Amino acid sequence: MKLSRRNFLKYSSMTLAGAAMAACAPPAAAPDSGGSGDGGSEAVGITYLIRSDIGIKIQEWTDEAVAEFQEINPDITVETVGVPWGDYNAKLLAMYAAGTPPEISANYAAGFPTFYANDALVALDDFIEADSADISVIDEAARGAVTREGQLWALPLAHLPTVLYYNKGIFDEAGVDAPPMDWEDTSWTTDEMLSRASAVSKDIEDPGNAVWGLIYGTGQLGVFSWLWGVDPFGGPGSPENTEAYQTGIVTEAHYNDPLMLDFIQWVRDLTYEHQVSPRPSDTDAIQQTVGWPMMSGRIGMAVSGLWNVTNFAAVEPSWEWGIAPFPYGPEENNLSPLFNDSWMLSAGAAHPDAGFKLLRYLGLENGAKLYAEISGFFPAHTGNYDVWFDATTSIPNLALSREELEGVILNAFNHGYVTPGKTLDSYPEWNRAFNQTTGPIWNDEATVEEGMAGVQAQFETIIASKA
């Protein structure tokens, strides 16, 4: 079931009162065979909506790729419009409502599932066929994440598992073994990770000098609960059985499931019981100084997406760092949430042909190679894997060999499942509700049972409002 366009506006991150999705016209026809713009010789201008808060390496890639694209295509000019993640959806909605959607945007914020559900995207198949473009070079699972009804609705540029980053110097100083490299090593469990985090933590009562062993959050909307054998929207069992990840529509929530409570309690106890993780106030102070806390050099391990390699590329830390597998949880799985970053062609855009030409350059041509070389984000283009490994092994103080790095990254995809932020309609609304309602748990102002009862009630209210 698709939302009405009225609800598309209502349930996104910002309500645009009185606006209509007049720009969401039916998908445009495939391009003509002649002309590099829109089938004619006149120069055309297209708009490319980017994120302005994703790091200097992504901005460096954007600048270089757009400049090269314009050199190759002098009859196309590209205007880049940058907004941060929190404003990305609102900006995109505003551009649609004004009848001027960008030719190209990415699946940030509400992203692909919301815009697909509201007929706001152009299927790429006709363009691909007309250009004889080879999309087999794009990882099959990444393509599958943006395929609906047998058609491809976006072009993946990145495919990113959740991994464990670690500071080898902290482990060496404490005389503790660094995390293992093998995703099949079932001895690498959440309990073992906690044990090593406890062994390397020190001076935690002195925030200015403390070393914390571990930062381990909940994952998007709590999906690290997969390791405990429960999915937020499907209940006990594998996320592969959760209908919401196939349809994009949330119809049930399981935040009061006993397994979910066990998981949230475990995360909370990292800070207040085991004292291996910083308190929210400590984290805020570190972020104000260095951004991602791992870059402070005072965190032993941090669970996060593979995109954070971009921070190491930008900062080039003086301490040895490594990447390791996600640990096995109580239910004996180490299912890693996968993030595909995909670029979309807007329905109703003024110049879809020129837009696809940019999309093809960014995802399939030299723009994709530059992405693997510069950004730090792992490419969806399989032909550029070696480019990424070459670039990453050249970052100073990587504690892994090239062979070890390849094993850790490539095997991650055998232990992954797409994360809800890339599959659920109205994701920013769910994300805001989850973060706001769980806040008292992390601030030690509510018990896990009290806090998760609030989350369950909030999600049930939202679900009912969308019925």
Side-chain angles (χ1 to χ4, degrees), residues 138-368:
I138 302 298
D139 176 82
E140 184 177 1
R143 279 184 279 136
V146 288
T147 297
R148 296 291 185 275
E149 300 177 2
Q151 291 186 293
L152 187 69
W153 295 88
L155 189 62
L157 267 71
H159 201 200
L160 306 157
T162 302
V163 295
L164 181 77
Y165 297 90
Y166 65 93
N167 183 323
K168 187 175 184 294
I170 288 176
F171 280 83
D172 290 346
E173 183 178 344
V176 177
D177 289 339
M181 297 290 101
D182 185 3
W183 281 84
E184 306 298 333
D185 183 353
T186 56
S187 71
W188 180 236
T189 64
T190 48
D191 286 343
E192 177 62 22
M193 181 176 63
L194 173 56
S195 175
R196 297 193 199 187
S198 297
V200 303
S201 297
K202 65 178 184 179
D203 300 329
I204 55 123
E205 297 302 330
D206 180 7
N209 296 298
V211 171
W212 290 281
L214 177 64
I215 292 181
Y216 186 107
T218 66
Q220 287 189 327
L221 306 180
V223 293
F224 289 173
S225 63
W226 293 343
L227 275 61
W228 272 252
V230 62
D231 180 78
F233 311 109
S238 169
E240 293 178 353
N241 300 321
T242 298
E243 185 177 0
Y245 301 144
Q246 310 305 318
T247 65
I249 306 301
V250 175
T251 59
E252 56 186 284
H254 296 269
Y255 288 106
N256 54 3
D257 187 284
L259 293 172
M260 179 64 74
L261 298 181
D262 288 347
F263 160 62
I264 297 295
Q265 186 70 54
W266 187 86
V267 176
R268 180 208 172 276
D269 287 349
L270 294 176
T271 298
Y272 298 106
E273 179 70 22
H274 305 296
Q275 297 186 322
V276 299
S277 296
R279 294 166 295 189
S281 58
D282 299 326
T283 301
D284 290 345
I286 297 173
Q287 288 176 329
Q288 290 175 10
T289 304
V290 299
W292 185 39
M294 188 71 193
M295 304 317 296
S296 67
R298 296 196 288 129
I299 307 296
M301 295 174 282
V303 171
S304 187
L306 191 57
W307 59 83
N308 267 314
V309 170
T310 193
N311 281 294
F312 291 97
V315 174
E316 298 187 350
S318 60
W319 40 270
E320 282 193 281
W321 60 281
I323 302 174
F326 211 35
Y328 283 78
E331 286 300 304
E332 300 181 351
N333 78 78
N334 59 350
L335 198 55
S336 169
L338 300 178
F339 294 73
N340 74 86
D341 280 357
S342 301
W343 272 235
M344 309 178 295
L345 183 61
S346 302
H351 302 290
D353 295 355
F356 180 76
K357 186 174 281 283
L358 174 61
L359 185 62
R360 187 184 64 194
Y361 167 81
L362 295 176
L364 298 174
E365 299 176 349
N366 199 53

Side-chain angles (χ1 to χ4, degrees), residues 98-127:
T100 57
E103 274 72 16
I104 302 298
S105 63
N107 65 336
Y108 303 127
F112 163 72
T114 292
F115 287 86
Y116 167 76
N118 290 275
D119 302 320
L121 303 178
V122 177
L124 303 180
D125 303 75
D126 288 344
F127 289 90

Side-chain angles (χ1 to χ4, degrees), residues 54-129:
I54 206 168
I56 60 173
K57 302 304 288 185
I58 282 287
Q59 187 61 55
E60 180 183 336
W61 165 72
T62 299
D63 292 344
E64 186 166 339
V66 168
E68 181 177 89
F69 174 80
Q70 291 182 134
E71 286 181 9
I72 297 169
N73 300 276
D75 56 344
I76 303 175
T77 60
V78 180
E79 178 189 7
T80 57
V81 177
V83 289
W85 188 95
D87 297 329
Y88 196 91
N89 195 41
K91 178 64 175 178
L92 190 49
L93 284 168
M95 296 174 80
Y96 268 104
T100 57
E103 274 72 16
I104 302 298
S105 63
N107 65 336
Y108 303 127
F112 163 72
T114 292
F115 287 86
Y116 167 76
N118 290 275
D119 302 320
L121 303 178
V122 177
L124 303 180
D125 303 75
D126 288 344
F127 289 90
I128 290 167
E129 183 178 358

